[in-house]
Amino acid sequence: MGFVKEFKEFAMKGNLVDIAVGFVMGAAFKEVVSSFTGGIVSPLIGLLFNSDFNDLKYVITEGTSNDAGEIVGEIAIMYGAFLTNVIDFIIVAFVMFLVVKGVNKMKKKEEPAPEAPKGPTQEELLAEIRDLLKK
């Protein structure tokens, strides 16, 4: 039973729950960014290349067409899909930067701890000892 109790304490720590919530929200946000990139950014960039941005590729070896009309045996570098993923990453990273910056700004600035009252200096202590010895 000790193992289960220890695991429950670990799982219910505030930071772990916060991380889990952030992970789920991040995954959902990634889907939003992917649809934004795929539906809005890629077509606009595709206008420059006069084709679908995700389908951009560098063909190394031409494929052949089979009976169904599909191209088989083609070897190509799919740089359009890679660039789409890079754009997704940059957007997500930028938004996460803004979120962290906003959270840090909203946090209360810690007030500096009040300075402890200073005791007597070494000279004052020596003078006090001298005065006590004179008595």
Side-chain angles (χ1 to χ4, degrees):
M1 247 355 216
F3 180 77
V4 173
K5 182 179 177 185
E6 185 178 346
F7 178 75
K8 182 179 176 183
E9 288 175 7
F10 168 77
M12 289 301 142
K13 283 185 180 176
N15 290 343
L16 187 63
V17 173
D18 292 345
I19 289 171
V21 169
F23 182 76
V24 170
M25 289 178 63
F29 181 69
K30 171 72 170 98
E31 292 298 318
V32 171
V33 170
S34 293
S35 69
F36 170 74
T37 306
I40 297 173
V41 175
S42 289
L44 293 176
I45 294 175
L47 286 174
L48 297 174
F49 296 102
N50 204 22
S51 68
D52 185 11
F53 188 63
N54 284 326
D55 292 338
L56 294 177
K57 61 185 173 182
Y58 175 74
V59 178
I60 297 171
T61 303
E62 291 288 334
T64 57
S65 196
N66 64 8
D67 294 337
E70 300 170 342
I71 296 179
V72 293
E74 179 181 77
I75 300 173
I77 297 172
M78 307 294 287
Y79 67 90
F82 174 74
L83 292 176
T84 300
N85 288 331
V86 169
I87 292 169
D88 285 349
F89 172 77
I90 291 171
I91 292 170
V92 170
F94 180 71
V95 171
M96 290 297 108
F97 168 75
L98 293 177
V99 167
V100 169
K101 187 174 180 177
V103 167
N104 287 340
K105 197 172 198 177
M106 289 176 54
K107 283 184 181 177
K108 266 188 175 177
K109 296 192 179 193
E110 293 182 21
E111 296 177 14
E115 292 185 27
K118 294 185 178 183
T121 63
Q122 188 176 11
E123 289 79 19
E124 292 172 337
L125 288 174
L126 288 172
E128 188 178 333
I129 292 170
R130 182 195 65 212
D131 293 341
L132 288 171
L133 287 174
K134 282 185 181 177
K135 289 183 184 179

